[in-house]
Amino acid sequence: MSRFGRSGPPPPIRDTYSLLVLNITFRTTADDLFPLFDKYGEIVDIYIPRDRRTGDSRGFAFVRYKYEDEAQKAVERLDGRLVDGREIMVQFAKYGPNAERINKGRIVEPVPRPGGRSRSHSPRRRYRDDYRDDHDRDYRRRSRSRSRDRYTRDRYRDRDYRHRSPSRSYSPDDYKKRGRDSLSPERRSPRRSRSPDDYKRRGRDSASPASKSPSRSPPRKMSPSPERSPVRRNNDRSPRSRSPST
DNA sequence: GTTGAGCGTT
């Protein structure tokens, strides 16, 4: 009864107040918060969302209280408390686990139906069902930590940029300048070399200028490892050695 | 191994 982070079906939340605990360390576990929150009221359950890939906590936890007054007290008492060397932020949860309507942390009723269609078979799936389909996108969207993502991306981006070409900035100005200085007008646009009249006629007759060429690059298949050809699998460098010479 | 401004599960 002490371990809240244990697996298992969540308890009924018909009369529970969810508190959102933010700013907690990534190492803080439900057991660490339990004694803290339990001191201020009766805790129904504590849940800390963790990353499914790594299993690490995302940096926030949900504490469900039985009474609102206790929850409120905990919010005021634990909000800003130093936990594991970090100041945690406690506040009432705004969203419910199942899209329930929450009023001041308390789940009032399930998702209300907008409009009044009592029998509307909305194809919209539930939260969990959606996970299966777009769990990838969803995860990326609200990754565990923005900075973490950005940080990693930045690092990669920086290195990538450096690898690319620091002087190869593709700017409209640069392009213009370069094109005029380096490339000839003909090379720049062979179609442009034609008379405007021709261009107009052609454009109308042939195709619209707006039509972009999706097949700008030939569908050439990239050979990831041409050396991996099965032909070269043999380590034999002398094909003749196997040739029977008489 | 890291990080940080956010809302949840068997």
Side-chain angles (χ1 to χ4, degrees), chain A residues 143-159:
Chain A
S143 284
R144 161 165 83 215
S145 314
R146 266 96 118 130
S147 19
R148 213 282 261 289
D149 261 321
R150 202 167 55 205
Y151 179 63
T152 311
R153 220 169 50 219
D154 259 358
R155 257 174 81 192
Y156 260 133
R157 208 232 313 151
D158 202 3
R159 202 180 56 173

Side-chain angles (χ1 to χ4, degrees), chain A residues 25-240:
Chain A
T25 63
F26 298 107
R27 300 182 274 193
T28 304
T29 62
D31 290 327
D32 295 335
L33 303 175
F34 173 65
L36 287 171
F37 285 82
D38 183 50
K39 285 193 302 187
Y40 295 99
E42 188 176 333
I43 297 184
V44 181
D45 182 39
I46 297 181
Y47 173 69
I48 297 185
R50 331 182 284 173
D51 192 310
R52 287 190 179 180
R53 301 170 300 188
T54 64
D56 284 339
S57 57
R58 282 194 215 165
F60 62 94
F62 288 100
V63 179
R64 272 198 244 163
Y65 270 98
K66 184 77 193 289
Y67 306 103
E68 185 200 5
D69 56 315
E70 292 185 342
Q72 176 72 30
K73 193 165 62 179
V75 172
E76 293 180 24
R77 288 301 209 171
L78 295 175
D79 181 38
R81 189 81 163 229
L82 199 74
V83 176
D84 205 44
R86 198 120 178 145
E87 249 187 28
I88 64 168
M89 297 203 297
V90 183
Q91 56 193 253
F92 282 97
K94 292 205 293 206
Y95 313 102
N98 212 355
E100 271 108 344
R101 199 57 158 212
I102 294 190
N103 189 14
K104 244 178 205 317
R106 187 204 172 188
I107 297 161
V108 195
E109 56 179 309
V111 53
R113 29 201 74 170
R117 282 185 201 172
S118 38
R119 240 166 239 192
S120 165
H121 283 274
S122 256
R124 185 201 295 208
R125 298 175 181 166
R126 239 175 238 195
Y127 267 46
R128 319 295 203 258
D129 288 348
D130 224 32
Y131 254 79
R132 250 93 136 284
D133 277 355
D134 317 7
H135 84 287
D136 258 339
R137 175 164 55 86
D138 212 35
Y139 257 103
R140 232 201 276 301
R141 189 163 54 116
R142 74 158 172 262
S143 284
R144 161 165 83 215
S145 314
R146 266 96 118 130
S147 19
R148 213 282 261 289
D149 261 321
R150 202 167 55 205
Y151 179 63
T152 311
R153 220 169 50 219
D154 259 358
R155 257 174 81 192
Y156 260 133
R157 208 232 313 151
D158 202 3
R159 202 180 56 173
D160 217 326
Y161 261 114
R162 250 174 225 208
H163 247 276
R164 241 169 235 273
S165 258
S167 55
R168 189 75 79 144
S169 284
Y170 278 103
S171 259
D173 270 332
D174 264 348
Y175 178 60
K176 266 204 300 199
K177 259 197 335 184
R178 240 179 251 273
R180 271 213 214 137
D181 253 359
S182 223
L183 302 181
S184 297
E186 300 168 0
R187 198 160 279 214
R188 251 173 66 208
S189 271
R191 298 188 303 190
R192 271 240 191 181
S193 75
R194 257 161 205 139
S195 280
D197 268 16
D198 248 330
Y199 174 52
K200 264 208 284 200
R201 274 209 311 197
R202 263 164 106 76
R204 270 171 76 103
D205 211 62
S206 203
S208 263
S211 162
K212 50 168 92 159
S213 305
S215 45
R216 192 137 181 160
S217 304
R220 154 194 312 212
K221 239 197 305 179
M222 265 208 264
S223 259
S225 17
E227 293 187 344
R228 259 177 97 129
S229 268
V231 190
R232 230 190 242 247
R233 194 155 69 179
N234 250 359
N235 239 7
D236 267 343
R237 264 297 158 98
S238 356
R240 242 197 266 217

